[in-house]
Amino acid sequence: MDDALQALTELSNLSRHPLNGGEFNGLNDVDGEEEEEYDTEAWETITKCFREVQSVLDQNRALIQQVNENHQSKLRDNLVKNVALIRDINSNISKVSRLYSDLSVDFCNIVNRRRELALFESKNRDDNVDSAES
């Protein structure tokens, strides 16, 4: 889990780097409070997903250890148990894949909403400037 949080922190720092156009690649036109709301939503979504993924991976680690022990024992009953354990491992791998897929969709939705809000606010500012000039 620590590695995942470290990677997220590095990603956050990279997204704020001036060469990348600032936060979220230049979408910092959004009001600071609203920007923070989206950042919080994004971090909560990512953190929740990584916690779920880590939990499933921890379960798989325990299952794999059990499969190895059963295999080393070479007892018929233990080898039969491995069939169910391996099915559980495969099921968990599918779950991790779904979690990452859901994360991707959720994160894209957050970014798209933020872009739409930035465009809307930019348009409103342009309309206000045009109205003031008239």
Side-chain angles (χ1 to χ4, degrees), residues 29 116-134:
D29 294 338
E116 289 170 2
L117 180 60
L119 287 172
F120 177 76
E121 288 182 349
S122 176
K123 184 176 187 254
N124 281 345
R125 272 185 291 231
D126 292 346
D127 290 346
N128 288 341
V129 170
D130 291 343
S131 296
E133 292 175 356
S134 299

Side-chain angles (χ1 to χ4, degrees), residues 78-91:
N78 287 347
L79 295 174
V80 170
K81 289 178 188 176
N82 277 356
V83 173
L85 293 173
I86 291 170
R87 283 188 186 132
D88 289 344
I89 292 168
N90 287 335
S91 174

Side-chain angles (χ1 to χ4, degrees), residues 22-38:
E23 247 178 81
F24 285 93
N25 293 326
L27 293 178
N28 49 7
D29 294 338
V30 179
D31 183 322
E33 186 175 305
E34 291 168 345
E35 180 178 316
E36 187 174 308
E37 175 185 325
Y38 282 105

Side-chain angles (χ1 to χ4, degrees), residues 61-90:
R61 182 180 302 120
L63 291 170
I64 290 168
Q65 287 173 345
Q66 186 63 50
V67 166
N68 285 335
E69 290 171 12
N70 289 349
H71 182 72
Q72 289 173 353
S73 75
K74 297 185 180 179
L75 297 174
R76 183 181 188 288
D77 289 342
N78 287 347
L79 295 174
V80 170
K81 289 178 188 176
N82 277 356
V83 173
L85 293 173
I86 291 170
R87 283 188 186 132
D88 289 344
I89 292 168
N90 287 335

Side-chain angles (χ1 to χ4, degrees), residues 1 4 8 46-55 100 103:
M1 182 73 172
L8 290 174
I46 291 169
T47 302
K48 179 182 177 229
C49 179
F50 279 121
R51 284 188 178 135
E52 289 180 52
V53 166
Q54 189 62 50
S55 173
Y100 279 130
L103 172 64

